[in-house]
Amino acid sequence: MKVFDTVEEIPNAASVLKIEEFYPKDLNIDLDGCDGRGVNRHLDFFRPKFHAWLETTRRKPTAEAPVTIRFKWATFFEWPIYRDGPEFASTFGDILRIRKDLQELAAKTLSAMSKFAGVEPHPPTLDAPYLGVHLRTESDSLGFWPNFEEQSNGYLQQSQKLGLKYAYLACGDAKEARRFTDKARNQTMPLHVATKMTLLQGEDYQRLTNMSWDQQALVDFLVLSKSTHFTGCSFSSFTMNIAFKRHLMTGGLNTRQWKSPGDQFSTLIGRFESWYGDWMFMYECMWP
């Protein structure tokens, strides 16, 4: 598979036919009397239907006339990944790799986190005991998500349950991060909290702050993935993806699907009792 950074790099880009906001479910018009989500049962037929759609609408790509397609909606709300089998479901998400410079910053953050937890780092094996926490209370979080008190109480309960005295915190709001850090430090069994901003120094800190916010978040992604135990907000796709990735450690390629609220490696806060809401589809439709 060849991956291009931009459309302009595709051979014969001047002849590209751009299809915007393509929605796979639009190919399934028979709902069998169900509501809109009922079309999920017909996803097995997507490939032949998709090829037929390309043929009948004269959109079939060729080397001379390439076609680009942009999905209308995020597939992690729509496509049950295990329809393609556990081997594919467990590995497809690794096709795109995190950049080497981000991996290097994450490694330095992990080393600093190890020292913060009082364990001298010995790369490449870093086994410092720490809780990974993703606090999702930024201004764009939705009102029905777990609030700060619900999330923080749940995370601190996990630290006490597991006997962990150190935590690595990821949060996009510095004020909320300080709020959690203070609360963690002042509980009966203090939890000492660090972030990438407090762990990195000098040129490494400068390299980090020169990156965009989503690039910086990938450093968090890698460090949280290596934590002794991980916990985060169950409505967050960022949290869920880390938990799903860690879940693969339970059985490798043949790992069973995730079950709320967690496993021995991760625990999500804000447990669901119903599978009918759109957010629940992330449990079945997100590539780890």
Side-chain angles (χ1 to χ4, degrees):
M1 179 183 291
K2 176 68 174 178
V3 179
F4 298 97
D5 290 330
T6 66
V7 173
E8 289 70 29
E9 295 179 32
I10 298 174
N12 298 311
S15 302
V16 165
L17 170 64
K18 294 183 179 181
I19 300 175
E20 303 290 341
E21 296 193 344
F22 173 73
Y23 195 32
K25 286 186 178 180
D26 286 343
L27 301 180
N28 295 325
I29 59 176
D30 181 9
L31 302 180
D32 289 348
C34 299
D35 67 10
R37 299 182 184 91
V39 297
N40 274 331
R41 66 173 294 194
H42 300 295
L43 288 178
D44 307 75
F45 302 105
F46 169 72
R47 190 178 183 90
K49 285 185 177 184
F50 178 61
H51 282 277
W53 177 76
L54 290 172
E55 291 275 7
T56 57
T57 57
R58 298 182 179 180
R59 290 182 166 96
K60 188 174 181 179
T62 65
E64 295 74 26
V67 176
T68 62
I69 298 176
R70 180 179 294 275
F71 286 124
K72 179 180 180 179
W73 185 236
T75 57
F76 62 77
F77 284 119
E78 303 288 341
W79 197 278
I81 63 173
Y82 284 90
R83 292 292 185 97
D84 291 312
E87 296 89 351
F88 187 80
S90 298
T91 59
F92 181 70
D94 281 333
I95 285 180
L96 295 178
R97 302 301 178 97
I98 295 177
R99 278 181 3 194
K100 187 174 179 59
D101 58 336
L102 291 168
Q103 293 183 40
E104 291 173 349
L105 275 180
K108 291 188 176 183
T109 305
L110 275 168
S111 181
M113 185 65 206
S114 184
K115 293 179 180 179
F116 179 76
V119 178
E120 190 62 30
H122 296 286
T125 301
L126 294 172
D127 55 358
Y130 69 95
L131 180 70
V133 176
H134 179 217
L135 178 64
R136 185 64 172 91
T137 56
E138 293 88 348
S139 60
D140 64 335
S141 57
L142 300 180
F144 60 90
W145 292 8
N147 59 28
F148 175 85
E149 291 302 322
E150 292 169 322
Q151 288 187 49
S152 60
N153 288 341
Y155 305 152
L156 294 177
Q157 286 173 11
Q158 283 300 311
S159 70
Q160 294 175 14
K161 176 182 176 181
L162 298 167
L164 294 172
K165 300 179 181 180
Y166 300 92
Y168 178 87
L169 173 67
C171 182
D173 186 319
K175 183 178 180 181
E176 289 287 89
R178 288 193 297 271
R179 184 181 177 191
F180 178 80
T181 299
D182 292 341
K183 181 174 181 177
R185 184 176 57 246
N186 293 324
Q187 65 176 348
T188 303
M189 188 179 85
L191 178 67
H192 307 283
V193 180
T195 70
K196 58 183 181 294
M197 295 298 185
T198 62
L199 292 171
L200 292 177
Q201 299 179 357
E203 292 183 3
D204 294 328
Y205 179 84
Q206 191 62 51
R207 287 169 58 199
L208 177 72
T209 54
N210 286 341
M211 294 177 174
S212 63
W213 68 269
D214 49 345
Q215 291 171 335
Q216 293 182 30
L218 289 175
V219 174
D220 285 330
F221 184 93
L222 292 171
V223 178
L224 292 171
S225 298
K226 299 296 184 181
S227 57
T228 305
H229 195 83
F230 169 68
T231 184
C233 175
S234 56
F235 281 93
S236 166
S237 58
F238 182 83
T239 286
M240 285 189 179
N241 198 266
I242 294 173
F244 295 169
K245 195 69 176 175
R246 291 167 60 89
H247 185 59
L248 292 177
M249 294 187 290
T250 63
L253 293 182
N254 295 312
T255 296
R256 297 285 184 173
Q257 286 179 255
W258 168 274
K259 289 186 178 181
S260 179
D263 55 24
Q264 65 264 47
F265 301 111
S266 307
T267 304
L268 304 191
I269 303 303
R271 188 174 181 178
F272 296 98
E273 302 298 338
S274 168
W275 283 87
Y276 298 106
D278 282 331
W279 290 94
M280 288 306 300
F281 280 92
M282 282 197 286
Y283 281 122
E284 295 185 345
C285 303
M286 178 178 287
W287 302 103

